[in-house]
Amino acid sequence: MARGKLRIYLGAAPGVGKTYAMLSEAHRRVERGTDVVVAFVEHHGRPRTEVMLHGLEQIQRRELEYRGTVFTEMDVDAVLERGPAVALVDELAHTNVPGSRNGKRWQDIEELLEAGIHVISTVNIQHLESLGDVVESITGVRQRETVPDEIVRRADQIELVDMSPQAIRRRMAHGNIYQPDKVDAALSNYFRPGNLTALRELALLWVADRVDEYLQEYRAEHSIRSTWQARERIVVGLTGGPEGRTLIRRAARMAAKGSGSEVLAVYIARSDGLTSASPKELAVQRTLVEDLGGTFHHVIGDDIPSALLEFARGVNATQIVLGSSRRKAWQYIFGPGVGATVARESGPDLDVHIVTHDEVAKGRGLPVARGARLGRARILAGWLVGVAGPVLLSLLLTSLANGPGLANDVLLFLFLTVVAALLGGQLPALASAAVGSLLLNFYFTPPTHTLTVSDPENLFAIVIFFAVAVSVASVVDLAARRTHQAARLRAESEILSFLAGSVLRGETTLDALLERVRETFGMETVALLERAGDVEPWTCAGRAGTDHGEPLLRPEDADVDMPVGDHMALALTGRVLPAEDRRVLAAFAAQAAVVLDRQRLVGEAERARELAEGNRIRTALLAAVSHDLRTPLASIKASVTSLRSDDVAWSQEDEAELLAGIEAGADRLDHLVGNLLDMSRLQTGTVTPLIREIDLDEVVPMALGGVPESSVTLDIPEELPIVAVDPGLLERSVANLVENAVKYSPDGAAVLVSASALGDRVELRIADRGPGVPDSAKDRIFEPFQRYGDAPRGAGVGLGLAVARGFAEAMGGTLAAEDTPGGGMTMVLTLRAAPGRPPARPDLPAQATT
């Protein structure tokens, strides 16, 4: 069954017209033929709102006693049993009375949505959980009833019901919101113009944020990469250094200058896992940006400027805030820096702000100290220093009249070898050692300009030089490898800690986890694929991102695939990941498989519950067959045996009595079997009503044939509208209800069967004067094989009311139990009036507001 859709009317304050707008929408849908019921709507004594309830079917509320007072709440079970297409549920943030099915009304609504029922609800902006502190600082009132923001954000439609503060205060003064004795206090406190203006702004900004989410989805679906400057969105580039706090606060001040601006802090780690960021400092900065109302993002990229620009364009940012470089002046020989590169490549649609801070030019350490992997530029520089450096040094030394001496020459060549090792690694250093040895031998050891060494000491010096150069190159290369490994492990632990943190923060759904994978590795699409066997086709269990071409159907079609077991794989498209990233990706893949298994276990638990319910019904059916059905059979058997006995001469009166007993037993058996068959049809969903228009006074009298004539008083007005029902199903329903009422009514107290019209509905009431049923049992009596109180075993199998409700709902009606004034119970059967005869409908005002 597909999940129902949620529509929410959001207002800035009480009295803006949310409930009226909801009821107006309900009337529009009813006129289009939609099955709409009022599950719970509170009109708060406002007459114009109350008028809008006329013509809408209302579900009977559930009464609960708490601390000596009786409260009414929405009856979730009744709404689920009624199964309408649309249910109206007012006050989304309402807290239910202790003893209710759920603690919050939004939890009740979640059950309705899971059952496939569409829900229309209302909520005020001050009831959103994230705005509690803000609303308290504005109004001085702490909201006790709140709803998580995510519940409202997940709504399929959010409609803002807006009204100016002046209009709300006029409505308050006219008595359209509160009672006259409360108007002055409300206008002087909560409903002050400043409060209403601030709440209105909060509502507008919150809805604008929701609209922006729709815009992001649209841009992703249509592969729109350019920036649409619909609102200011500021991206803060973080390095993990202490200057990040200054940048975040500066961006927050910039965002505060424009309404609706948003701050997104992003930390980009190199895709090879090497980073100098402090996890502790990043955690502090994440907390700071979230406290200031922004969001924190952690992504991976090979090229930090490109990754930062890609992220900014992906979130439709308009500004980028970066800090001035912490590098010293001489370190600019390694490149212009991130800030200058981003500013140069940002284009006309992105403004780049370079913010000064206390850490400017204090140094970031040598590149090798950061543990950065050697790029092409550094390797090329290492080869230039290692090969061209000794040649240039030889030219310089030979041009001098008096050189520094062989010992100093060796040290200078050794320095070039060390520099080549630091820049380019082991191979450039070895080349530098070889070239330096040859040049020392050719130019600086006698006899010069030959490769012959006449002095053994000079030969020893050259050999020592070569050995030291090779040793230094090896040590430097080994240190670089160890640094790389340590940094790689630190980066992996950092990413895994983010994964664990997302699980602890409740991001346990498969879609949320796949979106985290896509964002972390900077991919376009992430999909979890599975198949039943080695030759079975692949199916998609979950997906995040947008397919720009053909949908991803096989792991082989992806840029990266990570197997999870034998028949599951995590597939990613966008770019090819380095081998080092697969270990972290494997952790994500394993977590995705666990989340998928958890979701399926929840579904299997639900199916197991349904099977258990079916087993309970089958067990009750066996009990009914073994006892209740055998009772009339035993009576018939005894009477037939007596009639066939030759030992006794029966009088005509005795024979008539035995035959009457046989007839009564057969009728009773027929009734029990009929109810069992009807319940079986309802359970299997094979009841197909044949709806036609008919008067109630043509059907109801036919349903009274099974009870004594004096036990029922019939009151069916002739002017009632024609009803659209299945006459056969209606007759069976009424017959079961009347027989049940007569069975529990005391002697001499007739059951009253009356009917009345209410809007486009007709209500048939069967009232008895029996012991009645408490509120806690009113729903249970409609369950199959349920008999209330001390009903004898021979009184039936407990299917009459269950069959009556099932037939009523199959015809588009409802059946509910109410207390009879003065004692007893009243069954209220609500039926649809035929469209051919206009139902009685109260005149609605031309203009009405809640």
Side-chain angles (χ1 to χ4, degrees):
M1 178 181 297
R3 177 181 170 88
K5 294 184 177 180
L6 175 62
R7 179 172 183 171
I8 295 178
Y9 285 94
L10 176 69
V16 297
K18 303 180 304 299
T19 305
Y20 184 85
M22 178 177 66
L23 294 174
S24 298
E25 175 64 19
H27 280 288
R28 285 192 292 270
R29 297 197 182 195
V30 169
E31 291 173 359
R32 295 196 300 263
T34 306
D35 183 17
V36 181
V37 301
V38 178
F40 189 98
V41 170
E42 189 63 63
H43 57 74
H44 297 290
R46 301 166 187 168
R48 295 184 177 180
T49 306
E50 186 175 4
V51 168
M52 291 297 293
L53 287 169
H54 295 307
L56 298 176
E57 177 188 347
Q58 301 186 45
I59 301 295
Q60 181 72 25
R61 298 184 185 183
R62 183 182 180 186
E63 294 185 353
L64 295 170
E65 184 176 350
Y66 179 65
R67 294 183 178 179
T69 305
V70 177
F71 299 89
T72 60
E73 296 288 359
M74 179 176 68
D75 194 334
V76 180
D77 292 326
V79 179
L80 293 175
E81 291 179 5
R82 169 64 174 80
V86 179
L88 308 183
V89 184
D90 207 2
E91 300 177 357
L92 178 67
H94 172 74
T95 301
N96 294 329
V97 175
S100 300
R101 182 190 187 101
N102 296 302
K104 288 289 204 174
R105 184 161 293 163
W106 63 264
Q107 295 172 324
D108 297 337
I109 291 177
E110 282 293 314
E111 291 196 33
L112 301 183
L113 295 174
E114 290 295 334
I117 300 174
H118 302 320
V119 177
I120 303 178
S121 187
T122 65
V123 71
N124 284 328
I125 192 66
Q126 65 264 29
H127 294 298
L128 296 182
E129 197 169 74
S130 65
L131 300 177
D133 295 337
V134 179
V135 173
E136 183 179 10
S137 65
I138 294 172
T139 64
V141 178
R142 183 68 179 183
Q143 296 296 327
R144 301 299 179 187
E145 293 184 330
T146 60
V147 59
D149 290 43
E150 184 61 25
I151 300 299
V152 184
R153 285 185 177 274
R154 287 206 307 260
D156 299 277
Q157 295 183 57
I158 300 177
E159 184 168 336
L160 178 65
V161 183
D162 189 30
M163 182 177 289
S164 68
Q166 295 78 11
I168 297 177
R169 287 174 59 83
R170 281 197 303 270
R171 296 195 63 244
M172 175 70 71
H174 294 160
N176 294 332
I177 300 179
Y178 292 156
Q179 297 298 322
D181 57 338
K182 299 180 180 179
V183 170
D184 291 337
L187 291 174
S188 302
N189 294 281
Y190 194 89
F191 285 81
R192 294 195 302 268
N195 291 356
L196 296 177
T197 301
L199 293 174
R200 187 188 189 194
E201 183 179 17
L202 284 177
L204 292 171
L205 291 177
W206 198 93
V207 174
D209 182 67
R210 177 61 173 163
V211 172
D212 191 68
E213 292 179 9
Y214 287 131
L215 177 61
Q216 293 293 344
E217 295 175 4
Y218 178 85
R219 284 166 47 84
E221 292 173 359
H222 293 77
S223 303
I224 299 174
R225 307 298 295 172
S226 61
T227 300
W228 287 4
Q229 298 185 2
R231 64 182 297 186
E232 290 294 330
R233 183 173 281 107
I234 304 171
V235 171
V236 183
L238 301 179
T239 65
E243 78 281 358
R245 307 181 199 181
T246 302
L247 302 183
I248 293 172
R249 294 189 180 97
R250 175 59 176 159
R253 291 195 298 271
M254 294 169 58
K257 295 179 181 179
S259 298
S261 298
E262 183 180 356
V263 176
L264 301 90
V266 57
Y267 167 68
I268 300 176
R270 296 183 184 274
S271 62
D272 55 15
L274 303 176
T275 176
S276 61
S278 166
K280 181 179 179 180
E281 181 63 28
L282 281 178
V284 172
Q285 294 176 13
R286 177 178 190 138
T287 302
L288 175 61
V289 71
E290 290 177 349
D291 289 344
L292 293 175
T295 56
F296 185 90
H297 303 266
H298 178 274
V299 300
I300 290 180
D302 289 321
D303 185 358
I304 291 181
S306 299
L308 180 60
L309 289 171
E310 183 71 17
F311 175 83
R313 293 191 176 101
V315 298
N316 201 29
T318 58
Q319 302 181 59
I320 298 178
V321 175
L322 299 173
S324 297
S325 179
R326 287 186 285 133
R327 296 189 298 176
K328 295 183 180 297
W330 66 268
Q331 290 178 310
Y332 280 95
I333 62 174
F334 300 108
V338 173
T341 305
V342 170
R344 184 180 66 250
E345 299 178 0
S346 60
D349 56 348
L350 275 173
D351 296 333
V352 180
H353 303 267
I354 306 297
V355 179
T356 59
H357 50 82
D358 295 336
E359 303 296 323
V360 174
K362 289 188 176 180
R364 299 180 60 184
L366 289 172
V368 70
R370 298 198 308 270
R373 174 180 286 182
L374 301 180
R376 291 183 179 180
R378 290 190 53 181
I379 294 176
L380 179 61
W383 280 102
L384 288 175
V385 172
V387 177
V391 175
L392 295 176
L393 180 60
S394 298
L395 294 176
L396 176 63
L397 294 178
T398 55
S399 64
L400 299 177
N402 296 317
L406 181 62
N408 293 325
D409 294 339
V410 170
L411 291 178
L412 290 174
F413 277 95
L414 182 60
F415 172 76
L416 290 178
T417 302
V418 173
V419 173
L422 292 175
L423 288 175
Q426 187 175 23
L427 291 179
L430 293 177
S432 177
V435 172
S437 299
L438 292 175
L439 293 175
L440 281 172
N441 183 10
F442 190 80
Y443 287 105
F444 303 104
T445 57
T448 60
H449 301 94
T450 65
L451 296 179
T452 303
V453 181
S454 59
D455 190 349
E457 293 183 0
N458 293 338
L459 177 63
F460 181 74
I462 293 176
V463 171
I464 293 299
F465 160 75
F466 185 80
V468 171
V470 171
S471 300
V472 169
S474 300
V475 171
V476 170
D477 183 70
L478 180 62
R481 292 177 183 273
R482 293 292 183 265
T483 302
H484 173 269
Q485 293 174 358
R488 177 70 197 178
L489 293 175
R490 182 174 63 181
E492 289 181 3
S493 64
E494 181 183 339
I495 294 174
L496 292 176
S497 69
F498 274 100
L499 173 61
S502 66
V503 175
L504 293 176
R505 289 190 298 272
E507 299 177 7
T508 55
T509 64
L510 182 60
D511 292 341
L513 182 61
L514 295 180
E515 179 61 28
R516 175 69 65 179
V517 176
R518 190 191 69 80
E519 182 181 273
T520 299
F521 293 98
M523 308 301 286
E524 293 181 356
T525 306
V526 178
L528 184 63
L529 305 178
E530 63 174 349
R531 60 180 177 180
D534 294 336
V535 297
E536 298 295 327
W538 289 93
T539 59
C540 182
R543 182 185 301 273
T546 304
D547 291 319
H548 297 293
E550 294 294 330
L552 191 60
L553 300 177
R554 299 183 307 167
E556 296 83 5
D557 299 332
D559 295 322
V560 181
D561 68 285
M562 174 58 64
V564 187
D566 296 331
H567 303 124
M568 187 177 294
L570 189 66
L572 302 89
T573 61
R575 63 188 179 94
V576 178
L577 293 179
E580 295 87 344
D581 287 335
R582 296 184 66 86
R583 181 163 49 185
V584 180
L585 185 61
F588 277 105
Q591 182 65 24
V594 171
V595 171
L596 180 61
D597 289 341
R598 185 186 301 120
Q599 291 181 354
R600 289 177 174 172
L601 287 175
V602 172
E604 291 177 0
E606 179 63 22
R607 289 191 292 273
R609 187 193 64 79
E610 295 176 356
L611 291 175
E613 179 66 16
N615 289 333
R616 185 188 68 81
I617 293 179
R618 283 191 289 271
T619 302
L621 176 61
L622 290 175
V625 171
S626 63
H627 186 281
D628 296 288
L629 295 183
R630 294 180 62 183
T631 301
L633 284 175
S635 175
I636 294 173
K637 176 68 175 177
S639 298
V640 171
T641 302
S642 299
L643 288 174
R644 296 188 61 186
S645 176
D646 298 332
D647 299 337
V648 180
W650 302 101
S651 64
Q652 292 184 353
E653 291 80 5
D654 293 335
E655 289 182 357
E657 184 177 353
L658 290 173
L659 290 173
I662 294 174
E663 183 178 12
D667 290 341
R668 183 175 165 194
L669 183 61
D670 178 71
H671 180 73
L672 293 175
V673 172
N675 276 339
L676 287 172
L677 293 176
D678 290 339
M679 197 66 226
S680 176
R681 292 167 59 202
L682 290 171
Q683 290 288 336
T684 56
T686 58
V687 176
T688 305
L690 302 176
I691 304 298
R692 66 184 182 91
E693 299 178 3
I694 194 171
D695 284 321
L696 275 181
D697 54 10
E698 296 181 28
V699 180
V700 175
M702 299 175 60
L704 307 182
V707 296
E709 184 176 353
S710 60
S711 62
V712 177
T713 299
L714 194 60
D715 181 17
I716 307 293
E718 295 182 358
E719 63 274 10
L720 280 179
I722 296 176
V723 293
V725 297
D726 183 318
L729 298 183
L730 177 60
E731 181 182 345
R732 291 297 303 275
S733 297
V734 175
N736 284 352
L737 295 175
V738 172
E739 291 175 7
N740 184 77
V742 170
K743 179 169 58 180
Y744 286 101
S745 291
D747 295 337
V751 173
L752 175 61
V753 180
S754 60
S756 60
L758 179 61
D760 60 349
R761 296 278 169 168
V762 175
E763 287 188 352
L764 183 67
R765 294 177 171 266
I766 298 94
D768 63 56
R769 293 294 179 180
V773 176
D775 293 338
S776 59
K778 280 188 172 64
D779 291 330
R780 194 167 64 249
I781 60 176
F782 291 104
E783 296 179 4
F785 305 104
Q786 294 292 326
R787 287 175 294 194
Y788 178 70
D790 55 354
R793 289 290 300 177
V797 295
L799 287 177
L801 295 182
V803 169
R805 170 174 275 188
F807 283 170
E809 293 177 350
M811 296 183 294
T814 61
L815 178 61
E818 298 179 354
D819 292 332
T820 302
M825 185 172 65
T826 298
M827 291 292 177
V828 183
L829 179 60
T830 305
L831 305 170
R832 293 183 299 174
R837 181 180 300 180
R841 181 186 178 107
D843 293 333
L844 298 179
Q847 293 181 348
T849 54
T850 60

